[in-house]
Amino acid sequence: MRELRQVTSVVAIIDRPDIDTDQIIPKQFLKRIERTGYGQFLFYDWMKEPDFELHKPEFKGAEILLAGRNFGCGSSREHAAWALEDYGFRVVIAPSYSDIFRSNSVKTGIATITLPDAELAELKAALAQRNELTVDMETLTITHPDGLVITFAFDEFAQETLVHGLDDIARTLKRDDAIAAYEAATPGRFDTRTLST
Amino acid sequence: MAGTTLFEKIWQAHVVDEKPGEPALIYIDLHLVHEVTSPQAFEGLRLAGRPVRRPDLTIATMDHNVPTERGPITDLIAKAQLDALRANCEEFGVPLNATGSGREGIVHVMGPELGITQPGMTIVCGDSHTSTHGAFGALAFGIGTSEVEHVMATQTLLQSRPKTMQIRFSGTLPFGVTAKDMVLAAIGKIGVDGGVGYAIEYAGEAIETLSMEGRMTICNMSIEAGARAGMVAPDATTFAYIEGRPGAPKGAAWDEAVARWSALKSDADATFDRIVDIDVTTLTPQVTWGTNPGMVVPVDGTVPDPADFADPTDREAAERALQYMGLEAGTPVTEITIDRVFIGSCTNARIEDLRAAATVVRGKHVASTVRAMVVPGSAKVKHQAEQEGLDKVFLDAGFEWREAGCSMCLGMNPDTLSPGERCASTSNRNFEGRQGSGGRTHLLSPTMAAAAAVAGRFVDVRELG
């Protein structure tokens, strides 16, 4: 996973609530067995609408996405995070996220930053004047070139994962003793391999 | 010391290791796998040279993109994904209930019917409707593909502990009102993000008197309120459902299991972070009007006016939803005509759902303007329904009777809506394009869907003779 320390970019704004993962990447693209190449299908149906936000020339090249509450709700498809990352987004800023999307994002190298409504309003006002931000994941700050600085809370473990591009599985496998001890103390209930019809 | 909730009891029993400032490492008792969210996880294991740690606690099936008409699969990309699952399961020693085995089905129908969904377990699957299994008093939740790989490699997950919510359904469910109506009303009440960050326990008289099928319908849709997990304390109804199934304990082990499971309930003095009360005595059949499951009204209601929403964000969302759905504010729900009916999905395609729908259509016929289909939740459900003659009831009434799978709930297989088509669906999501690009989905119960098929529009199933 790529490290995510600092991003400076224009901000694409899709200010709609409850954007579900079916919109982010529709089902017909989930049949592929690869993990890459989903960016071209991002918001596939909405992209057909000429006035869809991501068509705005001023959002071109954005690595930061600002969205409405409950972003990434619905299906657990990690393809949604893969599509956002492949399209070029490294950071999402929203009032809230679905739990599964938030988890998938960290594993994909995307930071999901939660800001309260008041700070979001301040941020949007600043972006309306000048569309550029720097997000620093080491200091947990958002900086606008005109002087606005917002600090945000972020799960410490997820921050470390993102900043250093860490692999969760390799870290967990180092705790094999604890897992083996747990297994020894709790014998299994059944063996799925021997279930009769 | 204050008592503990059902969730806390299961969580505590599965903590393998905990470090300050980190999510807990929790053990996973059962990992369910399907073709869509697993190929990249298997590939990750292969690249790292890692095995599946506990294939005996893992089981796969084919459900999301399988065709529901007999004959060979013609979608070559879908076929490649199914072939990949078969090859991966062989390579990593994971048991597979493949299409044609007679044991295949929607992953959340298969687990319970095999008797491997049991109280007190932790169950995960790369599918958000894994919350279904919580109906048995298990902690069950959907995960992404990276987490699928993590469970395959370690049989554990790193998880932050969610908050707890209790939704109490009090009173007796009125005639013609179902579990689907209970959960749609609950989502309408707390909103599609009301459950974010919570594990929900459903309780109260109306839950205690529900069948396992009904409890599964409710837990299934927890994610539509944003909650990763929903659960119901196990009781005699739960034990009766599990007993005798292939994965159920036998003999003395059964008695021990029941004794252990009987302790799995929230203590009387346990506290929840949030409690929601819903009185079911005044509940009516529900129909969604918009593009998320929280946009729901009673069948005797009207399509809401966006101007009535106080929050500007909600108002804009409602306006967009009405535009997408092709509906006018103020239209009575019973004046909305439909083109398609889908009875199926992990929410409502179990034997009880099919029996209920069959009761409504028996001796009647699907309206000439409607194309209707029934997709059983599993090969076993299909077989059982055919034993009971339900297939004949549906076929005589003009329904299509299909093979098991996820089908038109998400339209990954050929079963999709055409642009502009309006569908009465027993599934769980009415998102834009969910059942096919431009398709318009209304969620409702199996009996309400059956009644709509016959009438060609939404009708109050309670008024049918």
Side-chain angles (χ1 to χ4, degrees), chain B residues 281-302:
Chain B
T281 54
T282 54
L283 202 61
T284 52
Q286 308 279 306
V287 180
T288 64
W289 56 268
T291 51
N292 73 47
M295 294 174 166
V296 65
V297 286
V299 64
D300 53 5
T302 57

Side-chain angles (χ1 to χ4, degrees), chain B residues 343 348 350-362 374 390 393-394 399 426 445-451 454:
Chain B
I343 296 178
N348 277 127
R350 297 181 180 81
I351 190 67
E352 183 186 271
D353 300 314
L354 303 194
R355 285 178 190 145
T359 305
V360 173
V361 302
R362 191 183 298 272
V374 181
L390 303 183
V393 173
F394 286 117
F399 279 84
T426 67
S445 74
T447 48
M448 283 286 288
V454 172

Side-chain angles (χ1 to χ4, degrees), chain A residues 15-18 20-23 26-35 38 45-46 48-49 69-70 73-79 82 96-100 102-104 107-108 155-158 160 167-173 175-176 178-180 182-183 186 188-197, chain B residues 13-14 16-17 19 22-23 25 27 29 36 39-40 50 53-59 75 77 81 93 95 103 116 118-121 126-128 142-147 149-150 153-154 156 158 192-193 196-197 226 228 246-247 261 292 313-314 317 320 380 410-412 429 431-437:
Chain A
D15 201 2
R16 313 183 193 190
D18 307 315
D20 58 79
T21 54
D22 273 80
Q23 306 316 315
K27 71 286 203 130
Q28 63 266 38
F29 306 111
L30 311 187
K31 296 175 191 172
R32 301 168 73 247
I33 57 175
E34 299 81 17
R35 201 176 181 123
Y38 294 92
D45 284 338
W46 287 359
K48 294 180 203 161
E49 300 171 11
R69 64 161 195 253
N70 199 26
C73 63
S75 162
S76 61
R77 58 190 71 171
E78 194 164 315
H79 310 66
W82 299 340
S96 60
Y97 302 88
S98 93
D99 293 325
I100 304 179
R102 207 155 37 90
S103 163
N104 288 342
K107 322 265 183 208
T108 307
D155 178 85
E156 204 179 310
F157 189 77
E160 191 186 314
D167 173 5
D168 278 351
I169 296 176
R171 276 185 291 177
T172 298
L173 284 172
R175 300 159 88 173
D176 186 62
I179 300 171
Y182 182 91
E183 286 176 326
T186 50
R189 305 163 193 236
F190 48 71
D191 183 341
T192 52
R193 297 169 301 181
T194 59
L195 288 177
S196 61
T197 54
Chain B
H14 288 84
V16 171
D17 196 15
K19 294 179 187 171
E22 287 191 16
L25 189 66
Y27 200 78
D29 293 324
V36 175
Q40 297 85 357
R50 292 168 180 150
R53 182 186 178 92
R54 295 295 300 269
D56 59 317
L57 301 181
T58 312
I59 189 165
D75 179 339
I77 305 174
Q81 196 170 55
R103 300 186 301 274
I116 54 177
Q118 296 173 8
M121 291 174 70
D127 187 284
S128 62
I143 57 178
T145 296
S146 293
E147 290 186 314
E149 186 181 339
H150 193 281
T154 70
T156 64
L158 290 158
V192 291
D193 60 352
V196 171
R228 240 172 143 171
W261 295 341
N292 73 47
T313 305
D314 292 338
R320 184 176 166 92
K380 282 179 190 293
L410 84 165
M412 270 192 82
R429 289 191 174 130
F431 297 153
E432 288 181 31
R434 170 78 177 179
Q435 296 190 291
S437 186

Side-chain angles (χ1 to χ4, degrees), chain B residues 88-104:
Chain B
N88 285 327
C89 286
E90 274 174 26
E91 180 182 343
F92 289 92
V94 171
L96 169 66
N97 285 346
T99 304
S101 67
R103 300 186 301 274
E104 75 273 26

